[in-house]
Amino acid sequence: MSAQIVPRILLNSGQRMPVLGLGTYQSKSDNVKEAVSYALDVGYRHIDTAYSYGNEQDIGEVVQEKIQKGLVKREDLFIVTKLWSTFHKPEHVIPSLKKSLANLQVDYVDLYLVHNPCGFKYTDESNLFPTDADNNVWYDQTDHMDTWKELEKAVDQGLAKSIGLSNFNKRQIERIVQSARIKPANLQVECHAYFMQKPLFDFCKQHGITLTAYGPLGAPTRLFSVNPNDPVLLEDPVVVEIAKLCGKTPAQVLLRYLIQMGRIVIPKSKTTNRIKANFEIFDFEISPENVAKLGGLDRHLRYYPFDWCKDSVEFPFRDSY
Ligand code: NDP
């Protein structure tokens, strides 16, 4: 299957971002290389990672190997990584991005996101979850605008083609949009059939910001904040029924639905047949009637409540959106 099959969405930076990418959270060295290599062979060109996932180096090795073998071109790839919360202070932003670039073995990333509006105290580059003397999360309150200005400099210096935000709420995004010299091109937030983020999506659209859906399959194997009472999205009877009608799997229906609703999706898998199946979503269409049925599932269900940073003054999910 050709990589050209994945449509691209135009960002306000002028870049074109594939609407399907491979997520890599919780993909470690034993399986991330195989997953990324296979995904590139299948035709994925968009890879989502983050400094905090600890797998940039593995991804960099695979990407470099594929480029050197002439199997992919750097300009066809869309690589996304994220600034971790311990690096919000202006003096840490560009050095942290340069570390990510070195890990990824590239001169620029296509999209650089601020991972989380909650800043943490910088102690050293490997301590991602610093705690104070009482063992509480050690927060840092760098003004988001000061961090953002450094991301703008990263664009000026050619280190990032586009810049954006992740896990920011409307109020926090609005503040950046009002004073930014370079507007955010993309917002990455949890989004799936149980949590379509319609108000935030509409707000972003008004401001020319695209929305990437993380946890698009309902993050069935997430590690944190697992509530055993949460319904399993992939097993929802409405999704299962529509999948049968379409001759597709529940995962394919959930991804296709998000794309039809204007979201960019980054399903994660380390399993080859799932990586391939998650890519095979451009050869069918969910009917308006079934789109309406899927719309009926929306229930503001957050699988990732981020309660580990709920005491931060910038905790984003206190606001309704
Ligand atoms: P997803 O909704 O993508 O679910 C991933 C899980 O679903 C994996 O355990 C995978 O299993 C399984 N899976 C994948 N494909 C299928 C399929 N076809 N059928 C059944 N099960 C399947 O959740 P994630 O939390 O991983 O979110 C996706 C990506 O979003 C992340 O990997 C990361 O890149 C990003 N993200 C960003 C966050 C942020 O704060 N900005 C937070 C969370 C995620 P297996 O691997 O075993 O095949």
Side-chain angles (χ1 to χ4, degrees), residues 18-39:
V19 299
L20 169 70
L22 181 75
T24 64
Y25 176 48
Q26 295 179 187
S27 272
K28 296 286 178 189
S29 41
D30 51 339
N31 56 50
V32 74
K33 281 190 190 177
E34 201 187 325
V36 172
S37 173
Y38 183 74

Side-chain angles (χ1 to χ4, degrees), residues 22-26 48-49 53 82 113 115 166-167 188-189 213-222 234 249 251-252 266-271 274-275 277-278 304 306:
L22 181 75
T24 64
Y25 176 48
Q26 295 179 187
D48 182 81
T49 181
Y53 299 171
K82 312 182 190 96
L113 303 173
H115 202 149
S166 180
N167 297 306
Q188 186 179 119
V189 285
Y214 75 64
L217 303 174
T221 52
R222 68 201 174 282
L234 281 163
T249 65
Q252 289 170 325
I266 46 170
K268 175 260 169 183
S269 181
K270 58 174 163 49
T271 318
R274 289 175 172 173
I275 293 172
N278 293 346
Y304 284 107
F306 276 41

Side-chain angles (χ1 to χ4, degrees), residues 229-292:
N229 298 322
D230 281 345
V232 179
L233 181 57
L234 281 163
E235 293 171 10
D236 186 285
V238 172
V239 178
V240 172
E241 183 205 316
I242 294 173
K244 274 193 196 130
L245 283 172
C246 295
K248 288 284 179 178
T249 65
Q252 289 170 325
V253 164
L254 290 169
L255 297 174
R256 176 73 209 180
Y257 170 58
L258 288 167
I259 288 174
Q260 283 185 215
M261 301 306 284
R263 277 65 163 177
I264 298 156
V265 293
I266 46 170
K268 175 260 169 183
S269 181
K270 58 174 163 49
T271 318
T272 49
N273 64 332
R274 289 175 172 173
I275 293 172
K276 183 165 185 287
N278 293 346
F279 192 81
E280 291 169 345
I281 54 172
F282 299 103
D283 56 356
F284 79 113
E285 183 107 13
I286 303 172
S287 68
E289 189 196 347
N290 287 330
V291 164

